[in-house]
Structure formats: structure tokens, C-alpha cells
Amino acid sequence: MKSIEVKVKDLTIGGTAPIVVQTMCNTHTQDIEKSVEQCIAMIKAGAEMIRLTTQGMKEVEALGEIKRRLTAMGYNTPLVADVHFSSDVAIAVASVADKVRINPGNFAKEHSVAESQFAKFIEVCKANGTAVRIGLNHGSLGERIVNLYGDTPLGMKEAAMEWLKMCAANEFYNVVISLKASNTIVMVTAYRLLKEEMDRLGMPFPVHLGVTEAGNGDMGRIKSAVGIGALLADGIGDTIRVSLTENPVNEIPAAQTIADYFGKKGISSQKESNGVEAEGEYWEAIKTVNAQLEAGSKVPEYHFKEKEWNSFIIKASCLFGPLLLDKKIDDFNVTCKVAECGESAAGFILCSQEKIAEFKDNLMQAARRKFTKPEYIACPGCGRTLYNLEETFNKVKEKTSHLKGLRIAVMGCIVNGPGEMADADYGYVGEGAGKVAIYRGKEPVYRSVPQEKAIDVLLKLIEEDGRA
């Protein structure tokens, strides 16, 4: 079923509109100069929508100034306010931002209060033409939903539908929905359940796709491509973000590669009308692979020729990752020629067997089929992060790379911390300026650890538990 069209300023999400590529600033929103500078860099890289953290009234004011400055310079890319833990802030920023992301799990503690505040919020959005994203994340569901359904894909779907029905009851349809998780199976299952229920009820709201806390480097791109690709292949998804613990500008070419691979056109429309005949490189590739499977091949293969290594790993993950995730295949073969010197190079070189083997191991792990190294959960960082997240994450990976099978989280703050790293064995969570909490599972073992000592404290805890 074709999704509803949602307007965010002059941008359309859903319906027959192309897939929208978006990202999020990791600057402090109150640092207006740096936020404007980063927004411009993102826009020049191709971002079609930009989100900024808006945790308080000072950030609401700052967001308004950022928007005014960008508009004065001729930049009209929609800006999204990211709000947690304060329905009052959501109501205030609804007259400032082009779109507001709220998390039902922390919109208000009591559900009756949440319903009342949400109705007020919707009225402000209606009056100002403001769009909304209802963004649920695995691990941050409200206590009432968890008690009813557990912290499960079903619980995620039920929570989402509850809030979408509230939107319909308030006659508000300018809404996008997301159900993110770091675990690709949880993420894909939740979105599939949601899409089935929305179609059954005739409420096809457009869907924002993303694998949250995907990490960085090859694995961050591979993991994102598996989750997003599996859903785009099903005809689910209208806007995407590849969340990387890197400079957020790097997220845009990664997301653009996925969107272009699937044809970028309205995915639900293509699948509805054309099936695998839909326009896009992916649809031709999957026909080739499916023909091999139908002919009895147990290990399908495909050859890529790409200008960049990142393009190869993203496309190959979109192609084979969903098949691995759904257990339609247990193995695959792939080769790739990559340009030696970037876009200007005339020649291509065949990727080494070692690099291909490493890619295959990463893809198997991203699809939850075989684990050969630690599993890392790391948020991309935002204006709430008060330490150098990317540098710290890389140091944690360097110190723990030998701990096969462990799940280790590095989180910027409490918003994406204790809840959304629920699957982790250990966690490093920012608590404030220069302070870190070290977790074993869901419980903080050490609080207010000075940042310069925190990695050593994490390693000591792992060693004391006999898991080093």
C-alpha cells in the first residue's frame, strides 16, 4: 500500500516521492556558529533534512536562530528538532522547527499526561504546518508497554500503533514513524510487523529507516545496509539515515549509495506496481541471485565493479545481507574490482581475498549469522554528547578487539545510553562534562568516572568478570 505523503517545509516524504536522505548534527545546538557551519557542510554533501538535538528551552531559541541564519544565506533544507524527556519543549519547538522528533517512551512519565500533552503538541503542529516523527527505539520503550509486551519487536509495534491512532484521533496525518534498533533482526522484525498492521488498518504512514548505534567504519556501513536494505527490498521505507560514529557528513554518501542502489524512487510504489522489475541496480542484481537460487545453487555469487570500497560493501550488504538475515542462504561468494585512485582513475584492481574474507565476516555478523569479533553498539553522537565520542569509541575498539563474542556499548549520554544498549554486556556512557558511567549489562557499576580513566576502568571490570 502506497504511503501517505508528509510535507516537511517544501520536502515530501512518502507517496511516490524519492527516498529522502537525512542526517543529524553532532554539534551543541547552543553553539550556533558551529551548528550553522556543520549544517552547510551537510547540505553541500547532499543532506535533504537535518536534525538537531533540542533538549531544553535554550536549544529551542538556538534552533530558531540557526534556522534564521541558514535561511538568510539561501539554505532552505528542513530542520528537525530532536526532543527527549520534555513534552513542554516539544510543544515549544513545534512553532520553530519544520519537523519534531519525539520518543513516546519518554514524552511524559504517566500515559494520561502524555496523551494530554500530545494533543496540545499536535494542535501547535497543525497551526504551524510542522511535521512529526514518532521515533521509538528498542530499549527505550515506556514502562507500561514493556510490562505488557516486553522489550520486543511486538512491543515496539504496539507502542507505535498506539501513538499513530492518537494522531488519527486528533486528525493529524503529517507524521513519519520509526522503530530503530541496533540488532538488525529486532529492527527488521519490528518494521515488518508495523507495516503489516498499518496496511491492515488502512493507516500507511511513511517510514523512517535506520539501524541505531551502528558504529563506524566498515561495520557501521555494513550493519546499516543490512537493516535498511532488507526493508527497502520489501517495499518499506520512505526516508533513511545511516547513523555513524564519525563526522556526520560521512553519513550522507553512505545513505545516498543505498537510496541510489534501490532506485531512489518511492519504494512502496515501485514494489506495488512492478515487483522486482522496479527501477534500480539492486532489482537487477537480486534477479540474478534469485535465478541462481532457483537453479539449485546453495552459494550464490555476484561480481561488483565500483569506484570506492565503501560503495562495494554497502551494495553487497544490501544484496546478500537480507538473504542471510532471513536465512534464505547460509553463504555467498562475491568479488569486486575497485578503482585504484578514486573517481579519476582509469584502472580498477581486484580486491584481495583477505579484504573480501574480512567483509564476509563482517556481513555475517551484521546479519546475526556468525560472530567472529566483539559486537559494538555506539551512538553517532549529538549535541547532548559531552566528550569526543568518535575518538573514545576507536580507543575502546582498539583495546577490546580480541574479546570475541562480547557486546560492548559506547554511548554519548543517558538518552541513548542505559536503555538502548540493553543488549550489551558492558557499557561506557557519558554522564556529563568529563564524567562517565561504566555498566555491566543494565546496571551501572562505576559512576562519575573521570573520562581519562574510564577505558581502564571498563577493561578492569571485564577482566574481573573473567571475560578478558
Side-chain angles (χ1 to χ4, degrees), residues 222-467:
I222 291 167
K223 200 172 184 182
S224 293
V226 170
I228 295 171
L231 293 162
L232 291 178
D234 284 352
I236 301 170
D238 303 280
T239 177
I240 64 176
R241 179 194 176 196
V242 172
S243 299
L244 297 174
T245 312
E246 300 178 15
N247 183 332
V249 173
N250 296 348
E251 297 180 355
I252 300 158
Q256 194 66 62
T257 297
I258 296 173
D260 289 344
Y261 192 50
F262 283 89
K264 205 175 191 300
K265 293 183 179 179
I267 290 294
S268 61
S269 300
Q270 290 195 74
K271 284 291 287 182
E272 190 174 77
S273 60
N274 299 320
V276 294
E277 297 301 322
E279 296 178 16
E281 191 179 341
Y282 165 82
W283 308 104
E284 292 301 318
I286 195 63
K287 279 198 294 184
T288 299
V289 170
N290 283 337
Q292 294 175 39
L293 296 176
E294 289 167 6
S297 173
K298 300 293 186 183
V299 185
E301 60 182 58
Y302 199 79
H303 176 74
F304 290 85
K305 185 177 180 181
E306 300 293 331
K307 293 179 180 178
E308 298 174 335
W309 171 256
N310 282 344
S311 295
F312 159 62
I313 62 173
I314 289 170
K315 291 181 180 181
S317 298
C318 286
L319 181 61
F320 290 111
L323 297 172
L324 291 165
L325 194 77
D326 291 333
K327 297 186 178 179
K328 294 179 178 178
I329 61 173
D330 297 315
D331 197 3
F332 66 97
N333 286 324
V334 65
T335 60
C336 182
K337 288 184 177 179
V338 176
E340 290 183 89
C341 305
E343 293 187 13
S344 62
F348 289 75
I349 57 173
L350 187 66
C351 294
S352 69
Q353 291 184 349
E354 290 77 14
K355 288 197 73 172
I356 293 295
E358 183 181 6
F359 161 71
K360 287 187 66 174
D361 283 345
N362 284 336
L363 182 54
M364 287 288 190
Q365 183 149 323
R368 319 295 295 179
R369 296 300 302 276
K370 183 173 73 172
F371 292 85
T372 56
K373 59 189 70 178
E375 177 82 355
Y376 294 105
I377 301 168
C379 70
C382 67
R384 296 182 295 264
T385 305
L386 297 177
Y387 67 92
N388 189 322
L389 182 62
E390 183 179 354
E391 179 182 304
T392 300
F393 180 43
N394 286 330
K395 286 181 180 178
V396 170
K397 288 174 69 176
E398 180 185 346
K399 297 284 189 179
T400 61
S401 60
H402 61 292
L403 301 176
K404 176 183 174 181
L406 276 191
R407 294 165 295 185
I408 300 172
V410 180
M411 313 298 284
C413 69
I414 60 168
V415 171
N416 288 328
E420 294 174 26
M421 65 173 207
D423 291 336
D425 298 302
Y426 297 94
Y428 178 116
V429 181
E431 277 195 313
K435 300 294 183 181
V436 175
I438 302 299
Y439 280 71
R440 179 196 292 120
K442 298 180 182 180
E443 299 299 323
V445 179
Y446 299 103
R447 305 296 297 264
S448 299
V449 179
Q451 184 185 337
E452 60 272 16
K453 298 180 180 179
I455 294 178
D456 289 337
V457 172
L458 171 64
L459 294 172
K460 180 183 176 184
L461 178 61
I462 295 171
E463 185 175 348
E464 287 174 349
D465 287 351
R467 305 192 70 178

Side-chain angles (χ1 to χ4, degrees), residues 117-171:
Q117 287 289 86
F118 187 66
K120 294 178 185 177
F121 170 65
I122 290 303
E123 288 306 311
V124 179
C125 291
K126 285 181 181 178
N128 291 274
T130 306
V132 172
R133 172 157 73 98
I134 295 174
L136 293 96
N137 284 3
H138 181 235
S140 65
L141 299 178
E143 183 179 352
R144 187 178 58 86
I145 289 292
V146 172
N147 288 338
L148 288 170
Y149 304 103
D151 189 11
T152 62
L154 175 61
M156 294 167 72
K157 182 267 287 187
E158 291 292 338
M161 289 307 306
E162 185 174 78
W163 284 70
L164 291 177
K165 288 174 183 177
M166 287 163 59
C167 290
N170 285 276
E171 298 184 338

Side-chain angles (χ1 to χ4, degrees), residues 13 19-23 49 51 99 133 137 176-181 187-188 190-192 194-195 198 205-212 224-243 255 258 262 267:
I13 300 174
I19 297 169
V20 171
V21 169
Q22 59 177 283
T23 185
M49 189 158 59
R51 184 158 43 113
K99 182 182 175 190
R133 172 157 73 98
N137 284 3
V176 178
I177 186 75
S178 68
L179 302 178
K180 294 186 177 182
M187 172 222 175
V188 170
Y191 275 110
R192 286 172 174 169
L194 175 67
K195 184 64 164 60
M198 289 196 300
F205 287 92
V207 172
H208 167 126
L209 300 181
V211 178
T212 192
S224 293
V226 170
I228 295 171
L231 293 162
L232 291 178
D234 284 352
I236 301 170
D238 303 280
T239 177
I240 64 176
R241 179 194 176 196
V242 172
S243 299
I258 296 173
F262 283 89
I267 290 294

